[in-house]
Amino acid sequence: MADTLTGRRRSVLQETRCQTCSLSSLCLPLALEVEDMDQFDAIIRRRAPLKKGEALFRQGSPFTSVFAVRSGSLKQVTTEGSGEDQLTNFYLPSELVGLDGIDEEHYPGTVVALETTTVCEIPFDRLDHLSESLPELRGQLYRSMSKELRDDRRMMRLLSRKTADQRLASFFTSLSERFRRRGYSPYSFRLSMSRADIGNYLGLAVETVSRILGRFQSQGLVAVSGREVNILDLPALTRLAEEEGAH
Amino acid sequence: MADTLTGRRRSVLQETRCQTCSLSSLCLPLALEVEDMDQFDAIIRRRAPLKKGEALFRQGSPFTSVFAVRSGSLKQVTTEGSGEDQLTNFYLPSELVGLDGIDEEHYPGTVVALETTTVCEIPFDRLDHLSESLPELRGQLYRSMSKELRDDRRMMRLLSRKTADQRLASFFTSLSERFRRRGYSPYSFRLSMSRADIGNYLGLAVETVSRILGRFQSQGLVAVSGREVNILDLPALTRLAEEEGAH
DNA sequence: TTTCCTTCTTGATCGTGGTCATGGCGCCAT
DNA sequence: ATGGCGCCATGACCACGATCAAGAAGGAAA
């Protein structure tokens, strides 16, 4: 009995070890040597999987940790004053959640699981302290934040210069690319988010999302059935996504 | 003669010292002790002032440094493929330029002076190395990036949910607040950017910017004459800026 | 199953803001 | 002064996508 428990505990720990994690080539410790990775492993905390709809943290709660997505997906939503919610990000496995909370010491948005999702919790004070002695880790942290800045700029361009069609096309090509990098099919995947989420994220009404999905389908660009997506003509989608403005 | 030169050189160095800089309470070394600030001082590099229209760096050139604005102002512009330019940011004194270049080791946009502008150059490798031994500096760097992430999210909300009026109102209240924090009048200032820049930044056509400025003027919210701005009713502007959607 | 409720689709109408076109104004160079 | 040229303002028109409205399809719980 005791043995079983120990065994089980060990296997749980095993699961959370970066060295055995399939995402290690994409995730924060990517640049670390084996011995350094052990140190990093020692500070991360396991969390019980989140069920669909559960919040990882809520807007305004004190910032303590950043999180790396292990499996599943999440969305970040911010509510401001009188206004409606704004969905500012989707997070996929290996991505870091919560970096925008460092500044004001609380999280600027609520992050919610879109499906059953597991994350690694990384207490920020310990991460910061460890980054003192591990330059590679520090560099990777800087790079992660810098990449997020860059992605944000891309999003601003999308929101201020692209038509609805181009936005949807960008959304699909970007998802496709992110799946590809993670070793999944870039052509066939399941959307974990609703049409409303997509619309909110892209600055479009739900109805517009639906209509354009229909149009894409009739143009032979994608085959969509509910949340199941098959990309039929990735080059055409990419072209569409990279055009700009209306003309 | 040699004495004069030495004196001059010393005074130039003096100018660039963080301890005597009026921005030190807002800028990167804000959290440093006096002795640590000397170390930081030692790595920053003086640059000749940029004239209006001159580029600090160009899109695609190798990332080497971040820059702190000392005086003047700049804009960041990215060009993508076939598309038009997108103005992603304006920079005022004490703000850090170039953080989004860390990731891919080149600058993702061209940064251009909007008027005569001086900056402090901070070579990133030396900054990173120094951040190893100065936790306060490291923390401030994390916070700067985190703040920029947060500002980007605010901008996304503006671009995807606000009407043209609300965007202009946000633009003015935000500028007003930034001037106030820097010790300038929050009610009366000069725009260093053109209407076209404002429109590009806010995702609006120049004509729309002009029209709404006219409307604001006739509503008694602001008095605008060319690039000279007087804010007459800041509370009303703030209310307008914080409303959301059309309704 | 049946029910209930959420999510998605499709249609009709309308409004904000983009586009095009023109004219005025400020600013600099000569 | 006198062009010349960006920059800015204003008017007329139009299109993209939001909004309103209704119904279909999917999913969870009894």
Side-chain angles (χ1 to χ4, degrees), chain A residues 164 207-208 211:
Chain A
E207 295 93 323
T208 307
R211 265 186 263 273

Side-chain angles (χ1 to χ4, degrees), chain A residues 178-195:
Chain A
R178 284 157 86 185
F179 283 128
R180 198 189 58 68
R181 293 205 57 213
R182 283 165 185 75
Y184 300 112
S185 165
Y187 298 111
S188 176
F189 45 85
R190 175 164 228 289
L191 300 172
S192 58
M193 66 293 283
S194 69
R195 304 285 193 269

